[in-house]
Amino acid sequence: METRDALVAQVAVALSAAGFEEPRRHARRLVASALAISRTDLFGHPDRAVDEQQISRIRAMLGRMVECEPLSRILGKREFWGLEFALSAETLDPRPETETVVEAVLRSNPNRLAPLRFLDLGTGTGCLLLALLGEFPAASGIGIDIAEDAIRTAACNAVALGFADRALFLVGDWGAAVSAKFDAVVANPPYIASGDLQLAPREVACYDPWRALDGGEDGLRAHRAIATHLPRLLASNGIFATEVGVDQADAVGAVMRTAGLALDGIEKDLAGIPRCVIARPGGMAI
């Protein structure tokens, strides 16, 4: 029978041939996921035998990965901010750069016990709202998405994570469905220009919902729509934090200023790319 380590080696060869960077790392993730074990267990017991049913599962997953289907889509879940989120067809697959939005809200609100109110526009899996509720145990929030499937998924994630009593999810068009004031409004809206969608990596273009990607002719359509709601949705000392595409930070900042907001900061992701624009009601712009 095959051993765990032998299968990792075989998967790594196949992934390398398919053009994957760090194929051994991806192979370990695939094999550990297929066997439903931790990577620590995989490292600690490389010589354990793998039965034929497990081998078949690994090969099936490998076949999907070489077609550029993300492992998160194959498994139906993704880790974000240390929490596990279920995915569905109408949800964007959360990615590490989106954590800059969570970090921006944390920096702006050092009191973790404050009873803050959050609004997550285009909530998808609910990852932004639920990550914030995990950091602020007295906070509550609303997540809005135009896709009913996404709202169902986000609500299920809230239950699984134990935040259902503090999170409400609604089907709606950006901020039109609510009229309250919020201490922080967050978003990861569509921001890829329509003409660039065909240039997106296959794992994005083929597996993320286009409605969550298509930002219109210049990629700023969603940010413009959201900006019209922010003056009435933000509390006087509230903030808006949004993810933006590469080279979009200045343009999104200009959209916020046009809506009467002040640009409060631009945060970079781990790759050094300006990834999160922060704005506030009025005040002095930077």
mmCIF file of all heavy atoms in Angstrom, residues 106-156:
data_model
loop_
_atom_site.group_PDB
_atom_site.id
_atom_site.type_symbol
_atom_site.label_atom_id
_atom_site.label_comp_id
_atom_site.label_asym_id
_atom_site.label_seq_id
_atom_site.Cartn_x
_atom_site.Cartn_y
_atom_site.Cartn_z
ATOM 1 N N LEU A 106 -9.850 47.387 13.505
ATOM 2 C CA LEU A 106 -9.243 47.140 14.821
ATOM 3 C C LEU A 106 -8.379 48.313 15.256
ATOM 4 O O LEU A 106 -8.415 48.736 16.413
ATOM 5 C CB LEU A 106 -8.415 45.858 14.783
ATOM 6 C CG LEU A 106 -9.176 44.537 14.612
ATOM 7 C CD1 LEU A 106 -8.207 43.372 14.535
ATOM 8 C CD2 LEU A 106 -10.163 44.327 15.742
ATOM 9 N N ARG A 107 -7.594 48.855 14.341
ATOM 10 C CA ARG A 107 -6.732 49.987 14.693
ATOM 11 C C ARG A 107 -7.544 51.231 15.048
ATOM 12 O O ARG A 107 -7.137 52.026 15.887
ATOM 13 C CB ARG A 107 -5.775 50.297 13.546
ATOM 14 C CG ARG A 107 -4.544 49.405 13.527
ATOM 15 C CD ARG A 107 -3.499 49.924 12.557
ATOM 16 N NE ARG A 107 -3.925 49.742 11.182
ATOM 17 C CZ ARG A 107 -3.694 48.636 10.476
ATOM 18 N NH1 ARG A 107 -3.068 47.615 11.031
ATOM 19 N NH2 ARG A 107 -4.098 48.541 9.224
ATOM 20 N N SER A 108 -8.688 51.377 14.421
ATOM 21 C CA SER A 108 -9.511 52.564 14.672
ATOM 22 C C SER A 108 -10.362 52.441 15.928
ATOM 23 O O SER A 108 -10.917 53.437 16.395
ATOM 24 C CB SER A 108 -10.426 52.819 13.470
ATOM 25 O OG SER A 108 -9.669 53.120 12.316
ATOM 26 N N ASN A 109 -10.477 51.243 16.463
ATOM 27 C CA ASN A 109 -11.325 51.011 17.639
ATOM 28 C C ASN A 109 -10.569 50.164 18.658
ATOM 29 O O ASN A 109 -10.774 48.949 18.744
ATOM 30 C CB ASN A 109 -12.624 50.305 17.224
ATOM 31 C CG ASN A 109 -13.482 51.152 16.311
ATOM 32 O OD1 ASN A 109 -14.236 52.009 16.753
ATOM 33 N ND2 ASN A 109 -13.359 50.915 15.012
ATOM 34 N N PRO A 110 -9.686 50.773 19.441
ATOM 35 C CA PRO A 110 -8.855 49.993 20.372
ATOM 36 C C PRO A 110 -9.619 49.366 21.526
ATOM 37 O O PRO A 110 -9.140 48.408 22.133
ATOM 38 C CB PRO A 110 -7.840 51.027 20.878
ATOM 39 C CG PRO A 110 -8.504 52.357 20.664
ATOM 40 C CD PRO A 110 -9.333 52.203 19.435
ATOM 41 N N ASN A 111 -10.811 49.882 21.847
ATOM 42 C CA ASN A 111 -11.590 49.316 22.953
ATOM 43 C C ASN A 111 -12.372 48.107 22.461
ATOM 44 O O ASN A 111 -13.443 48.236 21.864
ATOM 45 C CB ASN A 111 -12.540 50.370 23.522
ATOM 46 C CG ASN A 111 -13.361 49.817 24.683
ATOM 47 O OD1 ASN A 111 -13.141 48.702 25.161
ATOM 48 N ND2 ASN A 111 -14.331 50.606 25.153
ATOM 49 N N ARG A 112 -11.863 46.917 22.728
ATOM 50 C CA ARG A 112 -12.481 45.700 22.219
ATOM 51 C C ARG A 112 -13.819 45.369 22.901
ATOM 52 O O ARG A 112 -14.569 44.531 22.420
ATOM 53 C CB ARG A 112 -11.534 44.503 22.389
ATOM 54 C CG ARG A 112 -10.235 44.620 21.614
ATOM 55 C CD ARG A 112 -10.513 44.517 20.113
ATOM 56 N NE ARG A 112 -9.276 44.421 19.379
ATOM 57 C CZ ARG A 112 -8.583 45.459 18.917
ATOM 58 N NH1 ARG A 112 -9.043 46.690 19.103
ATOM 59 N NH2 ARG A 112 -7.455 45.291 18.266
ATOM 60 N N LEU A 113 -14.114 46.042 24.030
ATOM 61 C CA LEU A 113 -15.353 45.766 24.737
ATOM 62 C C LEU A 113 -16.463 46.742 24.375
ATOM 63 O O LEU A 113 -17.569 46.668 24.917
ATOM 64 C CB LEU A 113 -15.109 45.781 26.251
ATOM 65 C CG LEU A 113 -14.118 44.733 26.774
ATOM 66 C CD1 LEU A 113 -13.944 44.871 28.272
ATOM 67 C CD2 LEU A 113 -14.569 43.323 26.410
ATOM 68 N N ALA A 114 -16.192 47.652 23.454
ATOM 69 C CA ALA A 114 -17.194 48.633 23.064
ATOM 70 C C ALA A 114 -18.365 47.952 22.340
ATOM 71 O O ALA A 114 -18.155 47.058 21.527
ATOM 72 C CB ALA A 114 -16.568 49.690 22.156
ATOM 73 N N PRO A 115 -19.595 48.389 22.609
ATOM 74 C CA PRO A 115 -20.779 47.801 21.961
ATOM 75 C C PRO A 115 -20.994 48.414 20.572
ATOM 76 O O PRO A 115 -22.001 49.077 20.307
ATOM 77 C CB PRO A 115 -21.911 48.152 22.921
ATOM 78 C CG PRO A 115 -21.478 49.450 23.525
ATOM 79 C CD PRO A 115 -19.969 49.376 23.654
ATOM 80 N N LEU A 116 -20.064 48.163 19.677
ATOM 81 C CA LEU A 116 -20.086 48.788 18.360
ATOM 82 C C LEU A 116 -21.138 48.148 17.457
ATOM 83 O O LEU A 116 -21.557 47.010 17.667
ATOM 84 C CB LEU A 116 -18.705 48.665 17.706
ATOM 85 C CG LEU A 116 -17.535 49.280 18.470
ATOM 86 C CD1 LEU A 116 -16.225 49.008 17.736
ATOM 87 C CD2 LEU A 116 -17.743 50.772 18.666
ATOM 88 N N ARG A 117 -21.524 48.911 16.427
ATOM 89 C CA ARG A 117 -22.437 48.392 15.408
ATOM 90 C C ARG A 117 -21.715 48.402 14.072
ATOM 91 O O ARG A 117 -21.182 49.433 13.645
ATOM 92 C CB ARG A 117 -23.704 49.245 15.325
ATOM 93 C CG ARG A 117 -24.524 49.257 16.601
ATOM 94 C CD ARG A 117 -25.892 49.881 16.354
ATOM 95 N NE ARG A 117 -26.709 49.002 15.514
ATOM 96 C CZ ARG A 117 -27.862 49.376 14.966
ATOM 97 N NH1 ARG A 117 -28.304 50.606 15.128
ATOM 98 N NH2 ARG A 117 -28.548 48.526 14.227
ATOM 99 N N PHE A 118 -21.703 47.242 13.413
ATOM 100 C CA PHE A 118 -21.001 47.076 12.144
ATOM 101 C C PHE A 118 -21.996 46.832 11.013
ATOM 102 O O PHE A 118 -23.054 46.220 11.208
ATOM 103 C CB PHE A 118 -20.031 45.898 12.209
ATOM 104 C CG PHE A 118 -18.959 46.027 13.250
ATOM 105 C CD1 PHE A 118 -18.756 45.015 14.181
ATOM 106 C CD2 PHE A 118 -18.152 47.146 13.303
ATOM 107 C CE1 PHE A 118 -17.771 45.114 15.133
ATOM 108 C CE2 PHE A 118 -17.153 47.263 14.258
ATOM 109 C CZ PHE A 118 -16.964 46.252 15.180
ATOM 110 N N LEU A 119 -21.614 47.275 9.821
ATOM 111 C CA LEU A 119 -22.377 46.987 8.609
ATOM 112 C C LEU A 119 -21.411 46.472 7.559
ATOM 113 O O LEU A 119 -20.400 47.110 7.268
ATOM 114 C CB LEU A 119 -23.075 48.256 8.099
ATOM 115 C CG LEU A 119 -23.841 48.128 6.776
ATOM 116 C CD1 LEU A 119 -24.996 47.139 6.911
ATOM 117 C CD2 LEU A 119 -24.357 49.493 6.322
ATOM 118 N N ASP A 120 -21.722 45.317 6.998
ATOM 119 C CA ASP A 120 -20.872 44.675 5.988
ATOM 120 C C ASP A 120 -21.642 44.647 4.671
ATOM 121 O O ASP A 120 -22.633 43.922 4.532
ATOM 122 C CB ASP A 120 -20.522 43.259 6.459
ATOM 123 C CG ASP A 120 -19.615 42.501 5.499
ATOM 124 O OD1 ASP A 120 -19.148 43.107 4.523
ATOM 125 O OD2 ASP A 120 -19.390 41.303 5.748
ATOM 126 N N LEU A 121 -21.197 45.448 3.706
ATOM 127 C CA LEU A 121 -21.890 45.569 2.431
ATOM 128 C C LEU A 121 -21.289 44.618 1.399
ATOM 129 O O LEU A 121 -20.089 44.656 1.134
ATOM 130 C CB LEU A 121 -21.808 47.016 1.934
ATOM 131 C CG LEU A 121 -22.493 48.045 2.835
ATOM 132 C CD1 LEU A 121 -22.273 49.453 2.296
ATOM 133 C CD2 LEU A 121 -23.979 47.756 2.970
ATOM 134 N N GLY A 122 -22.131 43.762 0.808
ATOM 135 C CA GLY A 122 -21.644 42.712 -0.079
ATOM 136 C C GLY A 122 -21.001 41.620 0.749
ATOM 137 O O GLY A 122 -19.894 41.169 0.466
ATOM 138 N N THR A 123 -21.717 41.146 1.753
ATOM 139 C CA THR A 123 -21.132 40.325 2.818
ATOM 140 C C THR A 123 -20.592 38.986 2.341
ATOM 141 O O THR A 123 -19.667 38.438 2.936
ATOM 142 C CB THR A 123 -22.144 40.140 3.960
ATOM 143 O OG1 THR A 123 -21.498 39.594 5.099
ATOM 144 C CG2 THR A 123 -23.307 39.242 3.538
ATOM 145 N N GLY A 124 -21.168 38.379 1.285
ATOM 146 C CA GLY A 124 -20.662 37.081 0.818
ATOM 147 C C GLY A 124 -20.759 36.021 1.898
ATOM 148 O O GLY A 124 -21.838 35.718 2.411
ATOM 149 N N THR A 125 -19.634 35.466 2.291
ATOM 150 C CA THR A 125 -19.591 34.457 3.350
ATOM 151 C C THR A 125 -19.855 35.038 4.725
ATOM 152 O O THR A 125 -20.017 34.290 5.694
ATOM 153 C CB THR A 125 -18.216 33.767 3.401
ATOM 154 O OG1 THR A 125 -17.220 34.765 3.670
ATOM 155 C CG2 THR A 125 -17.902 33.045 2.103
ATOM 156 N N GLY A 126 -19.859 36.368 4.822
ATOM 157 C CA GLY A 126 -19.959 37.025 6.129
ATOM 158 C C GLY A 126 -18.622 37.179 6.811
ATOM 159 O O GLY A 126 -18.552 37.550 7.987
ATOM 160 N N CYS A 127 -17.531 36.922 6.086
ATOM 161 C CA CYS A 127 -16.217 36.835 6.740
ATOM 162 C C CYS A 127 -15.802 38.133 7.424
ATOM 163 O O CYS A 127 -15.242 38.104 8.528
ATOM 164 C CB CYS A 127 -15.158 36.362 5.757
ATOM 165 S SG CYS A 127 -14.812 37.486 4.390
ATOM 166 N N LEU A 128 -16.049 39.291 6.803
ATOM 167 C CA LEU A 128 -15.634 40.546 7.431
ATOM 168 C C LEU A 128 -16.435 40.805 8.706
ATOM 169 O O LEU A 128 -15.859 41.091 9.769
ATOM 170 C CB LEU A 128 -15.791 41.707 6.456
ATOM 171 C CG LEU A 128 -14.762 41.790 5.335
ATOM 172 C CD1 LEU A 128 -15.124 42.908 4.363
ATOM 173 C CD2 LEU A 128 -13.365 42.024 5.899
ATOM 174 N N LEU A 129 -17.748 40.738 8.620
ATOM 175 C CA LEU A 129 -18.582 40.994 9.788
ATOM 176 C C LEU A 129 -18.286 40.008 10.909
ATOM 177 O O LEU A 129 -18.107 40.395 12.075
ATOM 178 C CB LEU A 129 -20.061 40.923 9.402
ATOM 179 C CG LEU A 129 -21.056 41.032 10.564
ATOM 180 C CD1 LEU A 129 -20.888 42.342 11.314
ATOM 181 C CD2 LEU A 129 -22.486 40.869 10.063
ATOM 182 N N LEU A 130 -18.211 38.728 10.585
ATOM 183 C CA LEU A 130 -18.038 37.716 11.621
ATOM 184 C C LEU A 130 -16.644 37.758 12.227
ATOM 185 O O LEU A 130 -16.470 37.503 13.427
ATOM 186 C CB LEU A 130 -18.364 36.336 11.059
ATOM 187 C CG LEU A 130 -19.829 36.190 10.584
ATOM 188 C CD1 LEU A 130 -20.044 34.837 9.930
ATOM 189 C CD2 LEU A 130 -20.802 36.403 11.730
ATOM 190 N N ALA A 131 -15.636 38.108 11.434
ATOM 191 C CA ALA A 131 -14.294 38.293 11.993
ATOM 192 C C ALA A 131 -14.299 39.440 13.000
ATOM 193 O O ALA A 131 -13.682 39.350 14.074
ATOM 194 C CB ALA A 131 -13.287 38.561 10.887
ATOM 195 N N LEU A 132 -15.009 40.515 12.680
ATOM 196 C CA LEU A 132 -15.087 41.651 13.602
ATOM 197 C C LEU A 132 -15.867 41.296 14.867
ATOM 198 O O LEU A 132 -15.478 41.680 15.977
ATOM 199 C CB LEU A 132 -15.731 42.845 12.900
ATOM 200 C CG LEU A 132 -14.857 43.509 11.834
ATOM 201 C CD1 LEU A 132 -15.665 44.534 11.042
ATOM 202 C CD2 LEU A 132 -13.634 44.181 12.462
ATOM 203 N N LEU A 133 -16.951 40.549 14.721
ATOM 204 C CA LEU A 133 -17.705 40.143 15.907
ATOM 205 C C LEU A 133 -16.868 39.247 16.814
ATOM 206 O O LEU A 133 -17.041 39.257 18.035
ATOM 207 C CB LEU A 133 -18.993 39.433 15.490
ATOM 208 C CG LEU A 133 -20.032 40.289 14.760
ATOM 209 C CD1 LEU A 133 -21.296 39.471 14.482
ATOM 210 C CD2 LEU A 133 -20.368 41.556 15.523
ATOM 211 N N GLY A 134 -15.970 38.491 16.224
ATOM 212 C CA GLY A 134 -15.078 37.671 17.028
ATOM 213 C C GLY A 134 -14.095 38.492 17.837
ATOM 214 O O GLY A 134 -13.662 38.081 18.915
ATOM 215 N N GLU A 135 -13.737 39.669 17.331
ATOM 216 C CA GLU A 135 -12.794 40.547 18.017
ATOM 217 C C GLU A 135 -13.484 41.481 19.010
ATOM 218 O O GLU A 135 -12.861 41.957 19.959
ATOM 219 C CB GLU A 135 -12.021 41.384 16.993
ATOM 220 C CG GLU A 135 -11.101 40.582 16.096
ATOM 221 C CD GLU A 135 -9.912 40.012 16.840
ATOM 222 O OE1 GLU A 135 -9.543 40.579 17.889
ATOM 223 O OE2 GLU A 135 -9.370 38.981 16.386
ATOM 224 N N PHE A 136 -14.759 41.760 18.787
ATOM 225 C CA PHE A 136 -15.512 42.680 19.640
ATOM 226 C C PHE A 136 -16.715 41.934 20.226
ATOM 227 O O PHE A 136 -17.790 41.917 19.626
ATOM 228 C CB PHE A 136 -15.988 43.893 18.834
ATOM 229 C CG PHE A 136 -14.893 44.778 18.321
ATOM 230 C CD1 PHE A 136 -14.331 44.552 17.069
ATOM 231 C CD2 PHE A 136 -14.410 45.832 19.081
ATOM 232 C CE1 PHE A 136 -13.319 45.364 16.581
ATOM 233 C CE2 PHE A 136 -13.405 46.658 18.604
ATOM 234 C CZ PHE A 136 -12.855 46.426 17.357
ATOM 235 N N PRO A 137 -16.572 41.325 21.400
ATOM 236 C CA PRO A 137 -17.618 40.447 21.939
ATOM 237 C C PRO A 137 -18.910 41.159 22.322
ATOM 238 O O PRO A 137 -19.943 40.490 22.502
ATOM 239 C CB PRO A 137 -16.952 39.816 23.166
ATOM 240 C CG PRO A 137 -15.835 40.743 23.520
ATOM 241 C CD PRO A 137 -15.352 41.314 22.234
ATOM 242 N N ALA A 138 -18.898 42.490 22.440
ATOM 243 C CA ALA A 138 -20.129 43.219 22.763
ATOM 244 C C ALA A 138 -20.745 43.866 21.527
ATOM 245 O O ALA A 138 -21.758 44.557 21.630
ATOM 246 C CB ALA A 138 -19.844 44.293 23.822
ATOM 247 N N ALA A 139 -20.160 43.656 20.374
ATOM 248 C CA ALA A 139 -20.623 44.295 19.138
ATOM 249 C C ALA A 139 -21.706 43.465 18.470
ATOM 250 O O ALA A 139 -21.894 42.275 18.756
ATOM 251 C CB ALA A 139 -19.452 44.499 18.180
ATOM 252 N N SER A 140 -22.420 44.118 17.561
ATOM 253 C CA SER A 140 -23.413 43.440 16.726
ATOM 254 C C SER A 140 -23.304 44.003 15.319
ATOM 255 O O SER A 140 -22.628 45.014 15.098
ATOM 256 C CB SER A 140 -24.825 43.652 17.281
ATOM 257 O OG SER A 140 -25.148 45.041 17.296
ATOM 258 N N GLY A 141 -23.963 43.374 14.367
ATOM 259 C CA GLY A 141 -23.829 43.888 13.011
ATOM 260 C C GLY A 141 -24.806 43.288 12.029
ATOM 261 O O GLY A 141 -25.499 42.301 12.319
ATOM 262 N N ILE A 142 -24.831 43.908 10.864
ATOM 263 C CA ILE A 142 -25.693 43.494 9.764
ATOM 264 C C ILE A 142 -24.832 43.238 8.531
ATOM 265 O O ILE A 142 -23.928 44.022 8.234
ATOM 266 C CB ILE A 142 -26.742 44.581 9.444
ATOM 267 C CG1 ILE A 142 -27.661 44.804 10.650
ATOM 268 C CG2 ILE A 142 -27.562 44.198 8.212
ATOM 269 C CD1 ILE A 142 -28.630 45.966 10.473
ATOM 270 N N GLY A 143 -25.118 42.168 7.838
ATOM 271 C CA GLY A 143 -24.473 41.872 6.565
ATOM 272 C C GLY A 143 -25.501 41.900 5.459
ATOM 273 O O GLY A 143 -26.594 41.341 5.616
ATOM 274 N N ILE A 144 -25.180 42.550 4.361
ATOM 275 C CA ILE A 144 -26.114 42.695 3.244
ATOM 276 C C ILE A 144 -25.470 42.166 1.975
ATOM 277 O O ILE A 144 -24.288 42.430 1.707
ATOM 278 C CB ILE A 144 -26.528 44.168 3.055
ATOM 279 C CG1 ILE A 144 -27.288 44.662 4.282
ATOM 280 C CG2 ILE A 144 -27.385 44.349 1.803
ATOM 281 C CD1 ILE A 144 -27.653 46.129 4.224
ATOM 282 N N ASP A 145 -26.244 41.434 1.203
ATOM 283 C CA ASP A 145 -25.768 40.953 -0.089
ATOM 284 C C ASP A 145 -26.968 40.842 -1.028
ATOM 285 O O ASP A 145 -28.089 40.552 -0.582
ATOM 286 C CB ASP A 145 -25.077 39.590 0.049
ATOM 287 C CG ASP A 145 -24.116 39.309 -1.099
ATOM 288 O OD1 ASP A 145 -24.603 39.071 -2.227
ATOM 289 O OD2 ASP A 145 -22.902 39.331 -0.869
ATOM 290 N N ILE A 146 -26.729 41.060 -2.299
ATOM 291 C CA ILE A 146 -27.818 40.969 -3.273
ATOM 292 C C ILE A 146 -28.158 39.527 -3.624
ATOM 293 O O ILE A 146 -29.244 39.237 -4.129
ATOM 294 C CB ILE A 146 -27.453 41.773 -4.545
ATOM 295 C CG1 ILE A 146 -28.714 42.080 -5.361
ATOM 296 C CG2 ILE A 146 -26.406 41.027 -5.380
ATOM 297 C CD1 ILE A 146 -28.478 43.077 -6.473
ATOM 298 N N ALA A 147 -27.245 38.604 -3.313
ATOM 299 C CA ALA A 147 -27.440 37.190 -3.646
ATOM 300 C C ALA A 147 -28.044 36.436 -2.463
ATOM 301 O O ALA A 147 -27.447 36.367 -1.391
ATOM 302 C CB ALA A 147 -26.115 36.555 -4.053
ATOM 303 N N GLU A 148 -29.207 35.844 -2.656
ATOM 304 C CA GLU A 148 -29.867 35.105 -1.582
ATOM 305 C C GLU A 148 -29.016 33.922 -1.108
ATOM 306 O O GLU A 148 -28.967 33.619 0.084
ATOM 307 C CB GLU A 148 -31.236 34.616 -2.040
ATOM 308 C CG GLU A 148 -32.252 35.728 -2.283
ATOM 309 C CD GLU A 148 -33.625 35.192 -2.644
ATOM 310 O OE1 GLU A 148 -33.857 33.978 -2.438
ATOM 311 O OE2 GLU A 148 -34.450 35.977 -3.124
ATOM 312 N N ASP A 149 -28.350 33.257 -2.045
ATOM 313 C CA ASP A 149 -27.499 32.123 -1.688
ATOM 314 C C ASP A 149 -26.373 32.560 -0.757
ATOM 315 O O ASP A 149 -26.035 31.865 0.204
ATOM 316 C CB ASP A 149 -26.923 31.495 -2.957
ATOM 317 C CG ASP A 149 -25.918 30.400 -2.658
ATOM 318 O OD1 ASP A 149 -26.334 29.336 -2.163
ATOM 319 O OD2 ASP A 149 -24.712 30.612 -2.901
ATOM 320 N N ALA A 150 -25.805 33.730 -1.022
ATOM 321 C CA ALA A 150 -24.745 34.247 -0.156
ATOM 322 C C ALA A 150 -25.275 34.533 1.243
ATOM 323 O O ALA A 150 -24.622 34.214 2.246
ATOM 324 C CB ALA A 150 -24.136 35.511 -0.759
ATOM 325 N N ILE A 151 -26.456 35.109 1.331
ATOM 326 C CA ILE A 151 -27.036 35.417 2.632
ATOM 327 C C ILE A 151 -27.287 34.146 3.433
ATOM 328 O O ILE A 151 -27.029 34.079 4.641
ATOM 329 C CB ILE A 151 -28.338 36.238 2.455
ATOM 330 C CG1 ILE A 151 -28.000 37.650 1.987
ATOM 331 C CG2 ILE A 151 -29.152 36.274 3.746
ATOM 332 C CD1 ILE A 151 -27.123 38.437 2.932
ATOM 333 N N ARG A 152 -27.782 33.107 2.764
ATOM 334 C CA ARG A 152 -27.979 31.832 3.460
ATOM 335 C C ARG A 152 -26.654 31.281 3.973
ATOM 336 O O ARG A 152 -26.565 30.777 5.098
ATOM 337 C CB ARG A 152 -28.656 30.821 2.533
ATOM 338 C CG ARG A 152 -30.145 31.069 2.313
ATOM 339 C CD ARG A 152 -30.803 29.879 1.619
ATOM 340 N NE ARG A 152 -30.315 29.728 0.243
ATOM 341 C CZ ARG A 152 -30.892 30.284 -0.812
ATOM 342 N NH1 ARG A 152 -31.965 31.046 -0.654
ATOM 343 N NH2 ARG A 152 -30.417 30.088 -2.025
ATOM 344 N N THR A 153 -25.624 31.380 3.154
ATOM 345 C CA THR A 153 -24.307 30.871 3.553
ATOM 346 C C THR A 153 -23.750 31.661 4.725
ATOM 347 O O THR A 153 -23.218 31.085 5.685
ATOM 348 C CB THR A 153 -23.336 30.937 2.365
ATOM 349 O OG1 THR A 153 -23.865 30.173 1.278
ATOM 350 C CG2 THR A 153 -21.969 30.378 2.745
ATOM 351 N N ALA A 154 -23.856 32.982 4.668
ATOM 352 C CA ALA A 154 -23.356 33.822 5.757
ATOM 353 C C ALA A 154 -24.086 33.524 7.061
ATOM 354 O O ALA A 154 -23.469 33.456 8.137
ATOM 355 C CB ALA A 154 -23.506 35.299 5.387
ATOM 356 N N ALA A 155 -25.402 33.350 6.983
ATOM 357 C CA ALA A 155 -26.174 33.042 8.185
ATOM 358 C C ALA A 155 -25.747 31.704 8.783
ATOM 359 O O ALA A 155 -25.633 31.566 10.012
ATOM 360 C CB ALA A 155 -27.665 33.029 7.861
ATOM 361 N N CYS A 156 -25.481 30.718 7.933
ATOM 362 C CA CYS A 156 -24.996 29.421 8.417
ATOM 363 C C CYS A 156 -23.626 29.555 9.062
ATOM 364 O O CYS A 156 -23.341 28.907 10.090
ATOM 365 C CB CYS A 156 -24.953 28.413 7.278
ATOM 366 S SG CYS A 156 -26.578 27.857 6.709
#
